[in-house]
């Protein structure tokens, strides 16, 4: 099955010129190795400006209502209308800094699916899978296992431990739901998660802002195609 590599740029970079530069380099770098789905999740202001014939787009968050008096929020319909296909939900940074509860993440999951977006539910423990998917039917979503100690630390999870979690997630979701690994993924370790630990994809933070390294990660994924 096709591997999925997701770039989570978080709140980076600080200017459009640099963002466009990183994007262009990734776009031309992955064109030759288009055997994986590569999803770029830039900050909202850049999302509608980037164009590509090979890359897909994702948002880093959304609000669960379709429209209305919710100052500062972005709705699933707005994203869908822009051609965005994916959305990262329940990222640990949102849970931590913006106090997002499992209940809120669950509402966002349902809203994303209703709008026809493919949500990527981020979890660092198995209870978050159950709570995030409560009442969710179908299999048009993904789960990303991102252990807290590994996010942005340069201290990735061992492939053995990550694989155990992948199997535990798959027990909950059943077959047909891609499970991704995230947390200090780089050009050197990407293959371990895709090959040894059997993940269907990767959620890449810091390394996705370094075009050469990110293209190397995508190449690791294409190794399986
Ligand atoms: P990292 O971030 O690759 O910088 O560890 C991953 C993430 O938070 O999605």
């Amino acid at each position: 099955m096709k591997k999925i590599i997701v770039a989570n740029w978080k709140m980076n970079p600080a200017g459009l010129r640099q963002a466009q530069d990183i994007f262009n380099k990734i776009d031309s770098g992955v064109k030759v190795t288009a055997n994986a789905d590569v999803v770029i999740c830039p900050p909202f202001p850049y999302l509608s400006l980037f164009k590509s014939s090979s890359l897909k787009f994702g948002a880093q968050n959304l609000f669960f209502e379709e429209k209305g008096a919710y100052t500062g929020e972005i709705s699933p319909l707005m994203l869908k209308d822009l051609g965005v296909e994916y959305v990262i939900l329940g990222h640990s940074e949102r849970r931590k800094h913006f106090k997002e509860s499992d209940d809120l993440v669950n509402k966002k999951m349902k809203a994303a699916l209703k709008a026809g977006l493919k949500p990527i539910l981020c979890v660092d423990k198995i209870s978050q899978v159950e709570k995030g998917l409560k009442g969710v039917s179908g299999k048009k979503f993904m789960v990303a296992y991102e252990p807290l100690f590994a996010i942005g630390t340069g201290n990735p999870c061992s492939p053995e431990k990550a694989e155990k979690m992948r199997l535990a997630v798959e027990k909950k979701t059943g077959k047909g739901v891609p499970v991704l690994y995230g947390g200090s993924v780089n050009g050197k370790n990407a293959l371990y998660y895709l090959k040894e630990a059997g993940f269907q994809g990767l959620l890449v933070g810091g390394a996705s802002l370094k075009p050469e390294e990110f293209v190397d990660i995508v190449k690791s994924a294409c190794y399986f195609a």
Side-chain angles (χ1 to χ4, degrees):
M1 226 193 286
K2 241 188 184 184
K3 298 284 180 181
I4 305 151
I5 310 297
V6 183
N8 176 14
W9 284 10
K10 311 192 182 190
M11 201 170 72
N12 299 297
L16 176 58
R17 190 186 284 204
Q18 201 191 342
Q20 189 71 62
D21 183 55
I22 297 170
F23 181 81
N24 291 347
K25 286 181 176 151
I26 292 176
D27 194 26
S28 53
V30 303
K31 260 196 186 116
V32 276
T33 56
N35 289 323
D37 282 333
V38 182
V39 183
I40 308 294
C41 304
F44 284 129
Y46 309 144
L47 201 46
S48 59
L49 302 177
F50 294 160
K51 302 276 174 280
S52 169
S53 54
S54 49
L55 301 173
K56 296 168 183 285
F57 293 98
Q60 298 173 19
N61 183 30
L62 51 64
F63 189 56
F64 58 78
E65 293 289 354
E66 293 184 347
K67 62 186 172 71
Y70 303 101
T71 302
E73 294 298 320
I74 309 280
S75 90
L77 294 185
M78 293 171 188
L79 296 172
K80 187 72 187 164
D81 190 52
L82 283 181
V84 172
E85 286 182 59
Y86 297 81
V87 59
I88 298 170
L89 293 177
H91 191 279
S92 64
E93 285 151 18
R94 295 215 57 86
R95 294 179 192 262
K96 180 178 173 204
H97 300 300
F98 305 98
K99 308 283 175 272
E100 288 203 6
S101 64
D102 286 311
D103 185 45
L104 179 62
V105 174
N106 178 249
K107 281 191 173 132
K108 292 184 175 192
M109 284 291 294
K110 289 175 181 160
L113 288 164
K114 188 174 171 212
L117 295 164
K118 288 177 210 146
I120 304 166
L121 173 65
C122 298
V123 303
D124 82 294
K125 41 182 177 288
I126 208 76
S127 63
Q128 292 171 343
V129 178
E130 287 159 19
K131 290 174 183 163
L133 296 178
K134 207 170 157 197
V136 168
S137 53
K139 305 219 167 196
K140 292 188 172 156
F141 59 87
M142 296 187 259
V143 176
Y145 169 52
E146 296 211 302
L148 293 183
F149 65 82
I151 297 178
T153 58
N155 176 29
C157 186
S158 71
E160 293 78 20
K161 183 170 183 258
E163 184 180 16
K164 275 190 195 145
M165 192 64 179
R166 175 182 66 77
L167 294 170
V169 171
E170 283 173 359
K171 239 186 193 170
K172 294 284 170 202
T173 61
K175 281 206 172 5
V177 172
V179 185
L180 279 50
Y181 169 78
S184 296
V185 171
N186 58 39
K188 292 199 178 79
N189 65 23
L191 199 57
Y192 296 135
Y193 299 104
L194 297 172
K195 195 178 170 200
E196 289 168 27
F199 283 88
Q200 202 175 324
L202 301 166
L203 181 48
V204 186
S208 70
L209 292 155
K210 299 176 193 154
E212 276 181 25
E213 183 154 17
F214 186 69
V215 170
D216 276 350
I217 293 170
V218 173
K219 283 181 182 159
S220 300
C222 292
Y223 175 86
F224 291 90

